[in-house]
């Protein structure tokens, strides 16, 4: 095969690596059950499959332009076509395992290049039974479109429920934190009041002790003077 500096080879290697990542994600999904985490995992897997499908379309487009830009042997061209076909088959199998009817091809995302015929042009040349059959076919197509829309709405609903659950959890955590902060603040204020009362009592006790010592000192001084005067 050509060197890895070849744009097509480089793009193919990246697509192949992405396909391996998707395979690992699909294998891991079996251990997640059916909760919100499983829904998020499934949505991420589907997004990657869509991206990979777009890359395959890009590889197909690039491959058709290679002969003009980069001369390749017929053998090399056939080898690259086989590689691309094999990878596309692998992606289709992964998409099928997730019940994805499309996996991000250009037509599935943007619609085909040609406009679909309108109802009037489709009835050209049909008799009454043919028109009735066409109407039934159109109704089936509409039902299929509504079914796909329902799947998208359900998937979006699950994602929204998961996000809402996360927000509720965070709200509860914030409320618990606020409650703990209020309790701690109340305890701190109570301790500060006790310290202030203790400080006042300590100051009052020191003043009384000083006055008592002063009185005792004066009494001792008076007794000493009286004794001196008595023996003179």
């Amino acid at each position: 095969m050509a060197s890895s500096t070849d744009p097509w080879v480089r793009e193919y290697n990246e697509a192949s690596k992405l396909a391996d990542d998707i395979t690992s994600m699909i294998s891991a999904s079996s251990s997640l059950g059916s909760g919100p985490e499983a829904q998020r995992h499934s949505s991420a897997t589907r997004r990657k499959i869509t991206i990979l499908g777009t890359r395959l379309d890009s590889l197909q487009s690039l491959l058709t332009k290679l002969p003009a830009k980069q001369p390749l042997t017929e053998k090399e061209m056939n080898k690259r076509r086989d590689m691309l076909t094999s990878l596309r088959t692998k992606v289709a199998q992964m998409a099928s395992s997730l019940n994805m009817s499309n996996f991000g091809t250009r037509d599935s995302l943007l619609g085909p290049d040609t406009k679909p015929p309108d109802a009037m042009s489709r009835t050209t040349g049909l008799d009454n039974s043919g028109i009735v059959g066409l109407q039934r076919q159109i109704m089936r197509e509409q039902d299929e479109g509504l079914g796909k829309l329902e799947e998208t709405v359900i998937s979006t609903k699950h994602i929204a429920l998961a996000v809402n659950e996360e927000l509720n959890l965070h709200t509860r955590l914030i409320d618990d934190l606020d409650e703990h902060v209020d309790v701690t603040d109340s305890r701190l204020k109570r301790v500060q009041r006790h310290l202030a009362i203790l400080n006042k009592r300590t100051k009052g006790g020191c003043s009384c002790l000083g006055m008592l010592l002063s009185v005792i000192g004066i009494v001792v001084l008076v007794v000493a003077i009286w004794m001196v005067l008595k023996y003179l």
Side-chain angles (χ1 to χ4, degrees):
M1 174 174 285
S3 166
S4 59
T5 57
D6 185 329
W8 192 93
V9 175
R10 185 171 60 252
E11 184 73 17
Y12 176 84
N13 289 337
E14 292 178 357
S16 180
K17 182 180 178 182
L18 180 57
D20 292 338
D21 292 342
I22 295 171
T23 301
S24 299
M25 293 178 69
I26 292 175
S27 299
S29 63
S30 59
S31 62
L32 297 178
S34 59
E37 182 64 27
Q39 292 293 337
R40 288 194 292 270
H41 186 83
S42 177
S43 297
T45 306
R46 289 170 180 266
R47 285 195 299 271
K48 286 195 174 185
I49 291 177
T50 301
I51 294 172
L52 182 54
T54 304
R55 287 193 173 185
L56 292 180
D57 289 341
S58 176
L59 281 169
Q60 182 65 46
S61 176
L62 184 59
L63 186 61
T64 58
K65 299 176 183 178
L66 280 180
K69 296 183 178 180
Q70 178 182 344
L72 294 175
T73 63
E74 185 65 23
K75 181 179 179 181
E76 179 66 23
M77 286 293 296
N78 290 334
K79 185 176 182 179
R80 294 190 181 193
R81 291 190 188 99
D82 292 341
M83 293 168 58
L84 186 57
T85 301
S86 176
L87 187 56
R88 191 179 291 277
T89 301
K90 182 179 180 180
V91 176
Q93 292 173 349
M94 291 187 294
S96 177
S97 68
L98 295 178
N99 298 322
M100 294 176 64
S101 57
N102 297 302
F103 52 90
T105 61
R106 182 187 184 280
D107 288 346
S108 67
L109 292 176
L110 302 179
D113 291 333
T114 59
K115 294 183 178 179
D118 56 26
M120 293 299 297
S121 62
R122 295 174 68 180
T123 59
T124 302
L126 298 177
D127 55 12
N128 290 338
S129 61
I131 293 176
V132 172
L134 177 61
Q135 290 176 341
R136 291 176 179 175
Q137 180 182 350
I138 293 175
M139 292 176 65
R140 284 195 300 268
E141 293 173 354
Q142 291 175 345
D143 289 340
E144 291 176 359
L146 291 175
K148 294 177 181 178
L149 178 60
E150 182 182 8
E151 291 178 1
T152 302
V153 171
I154 292 174
S155 177
T156 304
K157 175 185 176 181
H158 288 316
I159 295 175
L161 290 174
V163 172
N164 183 61
E165 185 175 346
E166 291 285 342
L167 290 176
N168 289 337
L169 175 60
H170 292 167
T171 301
R172 289 195 298 270
L173 291 175
I174 292 174
D175 291 340
D176 291 342
L177 180 60
D178 288 341
E179 183 178 353
H180 288 307
V181 169
D182 292 339
V183 171
T184 303
D185 184 61
S186 299
R187 291 177 178 175
L188 180 60
K189 289 180 179 179
R190 188 161 55 249
V191 170
Q192 288 177 340
R193 288 195 299 269
H194 290 167
L195 289 175
I197 294 173
L198 180 61
N199 186 40
K200 290 180 180 180
R201 290 178 178 177
T202 302
K203 289 181 179 179
C206 291
S207 300
C208 293
L209 181 61
M211 292 177 62
L212 179 60
L213 292 176
S214 298
V215 171
I216 293 174
I218 293 172
V219 171
V220 170
L221 181 60
V222 170
V223 170
I225 294 174
W226 180 78
M227 292 293 293
V228 170
L229 293 176
K230 180 178 179 181
Y231 289 104
L232 286 178

